[in-house]
Amino acid sequence: MTFVASSEVQHVVEDFERLWTVAGFAEQFAATMARPVAVTGAPHEIVLDEHHRLLVAALRRARQNGEIAGGRGLHELADALVGFYLIRRLGRGSLDGWARIAIKTVVDAEDTR
């Protein structure tokens, strides 16, 4: 089965890129990446947790609607989609169409297992 991203899934995936434009988000995220600490409740952590929750919920609805096959856990799919963005962002790769490409790559790979 080939997954054609529902507008909801694509919107939530693309929303991760928009987080980087929120004042202070990128700086806090980068500081945590450089020096992970056990602090919880920082604004960027709350935003990331909420984004993850929204992405998992969108993937769950897509699975319930038959848009994606069962198999891998939804949390793992969400992590892979966000990881796709991070490697492109940190490696200064192209972000043109990244969300659509990430969804096709990650979810299609999940469907062919």
Side-chain angles (χ1 to χ4, degrees), residues 9 55-64 68 74 77-78 81 107:
V9 171
L55 183 51
V56 168
L59 289 166
R60 181 175 294 114
R61 283 187 288 278
R63 183 170 282 166
Q64 289 169 345
I68 61 175
L74 297 175
L77 285 174
L81 290 168
V107 177

Side-chain angles (χ1 to χ4, degrees), residues 14-105:
E14 289 172 342
D15 198 45
F16 189 74
E17 183 176 2
R18 289 185 278 275
L19 293 177
W20 292 86
T21 64
V22 174
F25 177 83
E27 292 81 4
Q28 289 179 349
F29 184 85
T32 301
M33 292 288 289
R35 189 175 306 211
V37 293
V39 176
T40 58
H44 73 288
E45 291 176 353
I46 294 167
V47 169
L48 285 172
D49 288 346
E50 178 63 10
H51 182 269
H52 182 80
R53 187 191 68 72
L54 290 171
L55 183 51
V56 168
L59 289 166
R60 181 175 294 114
R61 283 187 288 278
R63 183 170 282 166
Q64 289 169 345
N65 292 336
E67 297 171 7
I68 61 175
R72 236 175 276 157
L74 297 175
H75 292 275
E76 289 77 13
L77 285 174
D79 289 346
L81 290 168
V82 170
F84 195 102
Y85 173 77
L86 288 175
I87 196 65
R88 291 250 177 135
R89 175 102 182 168
L90 297 173
R92 294 188 169 103
S94 173
L95 293 175
D96 293 339
W98 79 270
R100 180 185 43 76
I101 295 165
I103 292 167
K104 182 172 176 23
T105 301

